[in-house]
Amino acid sequence: MDAIILQILNGLDKGSAYALIALGLTLIFGTLGVVNFAHGALFMIGAFCAVTMQRLLSLSYEEIDPTRTDFLGNPLKVEVPYVKHWFGPDLGGAIVDWSVPLGILLAIPVMIGLGFAMERGLIKHFYKRPHADQILVTFGLAIVLQEIIKYFFGANPIQTGAPSAFSGSFDFGTLLGFDPNVIIYPYWRMVYFLFSLVIIGGVFAFLQFTTFGMVVRAGMADRETVGLLGIDIDRRFTLMFGLAAAVAGLAGVMYTPILAPNYHMGMDFLVLSFVVVVVGGMGSLPGAVLAGFLLGILQSFASMNEVKSLIPGIDQVIIYLVAIVILLTRPRGLMGRKGVMED
């Protein structure tokens, strides 16, 4: 039982990332009808927004520290972050320590602006083109963004730590009545899971309970009729593209302490996230979220040594095997809508 609980917990953080990326993919496909293969790159750029914020907050100057000397007794020069100089050592140190969550403040405007630029500058010209053309052009855009990140940040992963308050682990074993140190789970992974629930809940609440969201949902169901009512549905769909980009970016920001950002992380998550979208059902937002968590947990179980010893390499293909089984039995996915990509 303790092994089962641990694998479920381990699958939640990866499932959260899958669900958030797949949610943005489904938003774009459901509103604009575009298969966006650059969406994984948006996740990557969000992660590097956190890296950028960390570097900005760590900018420092040199000053002489009379309390520290070298072996000759001369005072040493030390690096002092400007943030600590401006706000004091306590508050300034806390700001530097919380650089990853503060990366959200940078990621939101950057991702929304990038989403607008992508949609208005490139993707709007491919609305009426075949899905194969959309895949090719957005995949090419993803490669361009990936190479830009590689040029500015290098090819090696960049370690980005969580705030020190969440650097430890929580003993779930004691809480659930097991022996101590049997089920240990990092605090930040719990934070990421809760963060994903907040974002997912916020997106669904926005679409369900706001006038803007209701119009968008109506446009997803019947775009022409909404346009005939005098509503500029294209403008609203552009805003939804920016929202989807922001969701992917926020997922990347908060994932950096779990996986060190690197220039190809977007591609790593992109393919799996598209499988999640297909399994959940093209155009189904609840399906994307459900499939994201389901496949994340299944992948966690497949990564157990006991399972890999019986079926070597199963952790690399389990998601695709599950996708094959589900699509053979339910061709539209778990919660797919009739008529989506069936023309």
Side-chain angles (χ1 to χ4, degrees):
M1 180 59 69
D2 58 328
I4 293 174
I5 295 173
L6 183 60
Q7 294 310 316
I8 291 174
L9 291 173
N10 286 336
L12 288 179
D13 60 275
K14 187 166 290 188
S16 299
Y18 292 159
L20 287 174
I21 300 174
L23 181 64
L25 279 169
T26 306
L27 277 173
I28 292 173
F29 181 81
T31 55
L32 301 174
V34 174
V35 182
N36 180 23
F37 257 66
H39 203 71
L42 298 177
F43 176 79
M44 170 198 65
I45 291 174
F48 279 94
C49 283
V51 173
T52 301
M53 177 61 78
Q54 184 184 60
R55 292 184 175 182
L56 288 174
L57 294 178
S58 299
L59 290 175
S60 59
Y61 67 95
E62 287 186 346
E63 72 173 15
I64 295 176
D65 185 357
T67 64
R68 301 174 62 185
T69 58
D70 59 18
F71 67 97
L72 296 176
N74 299 316
L76 289 175
K77 290 183 178 180
V78 296
E79 296 287 335
V80 179
Y82 286 102
V83 173
K84 289 186 178 181
H85 175 71
W86 295 333
F87 299 101
D90 295 333
L91 179 57
I95 292 174
V96 173
D97 186 41
W98 284 74
S99 59
V100 169
L102 290 175
I104 292 174
L105 302 178
L106 175 63
I108 290 176
V110 168
M111 300 311 301
I112 292 177
L114 181 60
F116 285 174
M118 287 173 57
E119 196 276 336
R120 290 289 87 188
L122 179 65
I123 292 177
K124 74 173 184 178
H125 303 292
F126 289 84
Y127 287 159
K128 298 181 180 179
R129 301 280 289 273
H131 290 306
D133 292 354
Q134 298 171 359
I135 291 172
L136 286 174
V137 72
T138 53
F139 186 75
L141 177 61
I143 293 176
V144 170
L145 294 174
Q146 177 177 288
E147 291 303 313
I148 291 174
I149 291 295
K150 182 179 178 182
Y151 176 79
F152 284 103
F153 291 92
N156 296 323
I158 301 174
Q159 297 296 329
T160 309
S164 57
F166 298 101
S167 61
S169 298
F170 182 72
D171 189 348
F172 267 101
T174 303
L175 180 66
L176 299 176
F178 295 97
D179 294 333
N181 300 321
V182 172
I183 305 176
I184 300 295
Y185 196 65
Y187 284 119
W188 188 256
R189 292 177 182 260
M190 291 191 292
V191 170
Y192 190 79
F193 171 64
L194 295 175
F195 173 80
S196 69
L197 293 183
V198 171
I199 296 297
I200 292 169
V203 170
F204 277 94
F206 175 74
L207 292 173
Q208 188 71 30
F209 301 115
T210 66
T211 303
F212 187 99
M214 293 177 186
V215 172
V216 167
R217 286 190 290 114
M220 292 171 68
D222 192 340
R223 183 172 184 160
E224 292 184 2
T225 300
V226 173
L228 291 173
L229 294 175
I231 298 173
D232 187 357
I233 193 65
D234 290 337
R235 180 173 176 273
R236 292 175 185 257
F237 282 175
T238 300
L239 294 174
M240 290 306 298
F241 196 103
L243 175 62
V247 169
L250 293 179
V253 168
M254 298 295 282
Y255 205 72
T256 51
I258 298 174
L259 177 66
N262 57 75
Y263 73 97
H264 57 79
M265 67 186 300
M267 290 296 184
D268 295 341
F269 276 86
L270 174 68
V271 176
L272 294 174
S273 297
F274 260 100
V275 174
V276 169
V277 171
V278 173
V279 169
M282 295 296 291
S284 171
L285 297 177
V289 174
L290 173 63
F293 284 110
L294 174 64
L295 295 181
I297 292 172
L298 287 176
Q299 191 177 44
S300 177
F301 276 101
S303 299
M304 296 174 65
N305 292 329
E306 296 83 355
V307 176
K308 290 193 291 184
S309 64
L310 293 175
I311 312 176
I314 185 63
D315 56 317
Q316 302 297 320
V317 299
I318 183 64
I319 286 182
Y320 306 103
L321 293 176
V322 172
I324 291 171
V325 172
I326 289 178
L327 293 179
L328 285 175
T329 56
R330 297 182 63 86
R332 295 191 183 114
L334 295 174
M335 303 178 71
R337 294 187 290 116
K338 183 179 180 180
V340 178
M341 294 192 76
E342 293 181 352
D343 54 345

